[in-house]
C-alpha cells in the first residue's frame, strides 16, 4: 500500500509540475518606467565604456608657466581646469602623472615624482588643479624647466578597488588596465 501511495504521489507531482511550467498564460502588465540616469561629464573617458577613468591628452609646459623661488633652486607651475579631479577623487581616488621622455626615438613615460640628474619633478593636486614642483637635488640653481611633456590619469575609487594589484605608477600597467590610448 505504501508503494502504491508513493507512486500515485510521484505521478501527481510530476503532472502538476509539468502543467505549471507551460507558457500559455497572457503577458502581465508593463511596469512603470525607471528614472533617468545622471548625465556624464565631458572629458576623455577610457575606451570600452570605462567612465570611471579620465586620462588627459599629453600636454607640455612652457617657459612662461614656471615661476622661480629660492634663487632658481625651486620652480613651480600650475595646471588649472582639470575638471575631472573632483572632491571625491581628492578624498578617495588617485591621480597619477607621467612625464614623457624620448629615448633612441622611442617614447617612454616615467611616473612622477621623477629625478633626472640634479632635478626632481613632483606634483600635488586638488579639486580642478595640479601643481608641479621642480627643484634642485643638490641646492644649486637650475634653469627654467621650460617644455616638459606630461599626462595625467584620474582613477575613481571604484576603479581603484576593482584593480587592487595594479601599480598605478607603471604607465604600461595603467594603460593596459584602464584601456587608455596614447
Amino acid at each position: 500500500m505504501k508503494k502504491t501511495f508513493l507512486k500515485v504521489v510521484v505521478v501527481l507531482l510530476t503532472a502538476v509540475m509539468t502543467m505549471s511550467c507551460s507558457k500559455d498564460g497572457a503577458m502581465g502588465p508593463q511596469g512603470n518606467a525607471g528614472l533617468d540616469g545622471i548625465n556624464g561629464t565631458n572629458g576623455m573617458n577610457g575606451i570600452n565604456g570605462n567612465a570611471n577613468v579620465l586620462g588627459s591628452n599629453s600636454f607640455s609646459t612652457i617657459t612662461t608657466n614656471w615661476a622661480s623661488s629660492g634663487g632658481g633652486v625651486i620652480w613651480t607651475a600650475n595646471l588649472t581646469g582639470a575638471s575631472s579631479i573632483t572632491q571625491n577623487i581628492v578624498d578617495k581616488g588617485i591621480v597619477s602623472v607621467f612625464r614623457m621622455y624620448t629615448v633612441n626615438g622611442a617614447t617612454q613615460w616615467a611616473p612622477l615624482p621623477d629625478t633626472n640628474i640634479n632635478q626632481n619633478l613632483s606634483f600635488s593636486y586638488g579639486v580642478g588643479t595640479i601643481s608641479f614642483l621642480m627643484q634642485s637635488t643638490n641646492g644649486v640653481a637650475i634653469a627654467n624647466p621650460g617644455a616638459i611633456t606630461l599626462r595625467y590619469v584620474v582613477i575613481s575609487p571604484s576603479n581603484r578597488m576593482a584593480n587592487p594589484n595594479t601599480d598605478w605608477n607603471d604607465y604600461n600597467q595603467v594603460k593596459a588596465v584602464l584601456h587608455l590610448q596614447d
Side-chain angles (χ1 to χ4, degrees), residues 1-180:
M1 175 98 162
K2 284 185 179 182
K3 287 185 181 183
T4 307
F5 179 74
L6 184 59
K7 286 180 187 178
V8 171
V9 169
V10 169
V11 170
L12 284 174
L13 283 175
T14 303
V16 168
M17 287 179 15
T18 303
M19 286 189 292
S20 66
C21 293
S22 66
K23 185 177 180 181
D24 58 351
M27 173 123 20
Q30 179 151 347
N32 296 332
L35 299 174
D36 288 340
I38 299 170
N39 291 333
T41 59
N42 292 328
M44 297 209 42
N45 291 345
I47 62 172
N48 298 330
N50 194 349
N52 294 326
V53 178
L54 299 169
S56 73
N57 288 323
S58 59
F59 60 94
S60 294
T61 60
I62 57 174
T63 302
T64 57
N65 294 136
W66 295 97
S68 174
S69 63
V73 174
I74 298 172
W75 292 85
T76 58
N78 293 307
L79 170 69
T80 57
S83 60
S84 55
I85 303 176
T86 63
Q87 189 63 55
N88 188 43
I89 296 298
V90 171
D91 292 344
K92 300 176 187 170
I94 299 174
V95 175
S96 293
V97 179
F98 301 92
R99 178 182 186 172
M100 186 182 82
Y101 289 101
T102 302
V103 179
N104 297 326
T107 299
Q108 295 180 359
W109 292 92
L112 297 189
D114 177 53
T115 301
N116 187 6
I117 306 175
N118 67 333
Q119 301 174 6
N120 180 273
L121 178 61
S122 60
F123 76 100
S124 60
Y125 61 91
V127 176
T129 186
I130 302 175
S131 298
F132 299 97
L133 175 69
M134 176 72 79
Q135 64 187 78
S136 169
T137 60
N138 61 6
V140 176
I142 54 178
N144 183 309
I148 299 175
T149 301
L150 302 157
R151 181 175 192 195
Y152 67 90
V153 179
V154 178
I155 301 107
S156 72
S158 61
N159 218 326
R160 180 180 176 190
M161 290 187 319
N163 298 286
N165 298 321
T166 300
D167 178 356
W168 298 108
N169 289 316
D170 181 326
Y171 181 76
N172 291 321
Q173 279 190 40
V174 172
K175 182 179 172 184
V177 167
L178 303 179
H179 310 288
L180 301 176

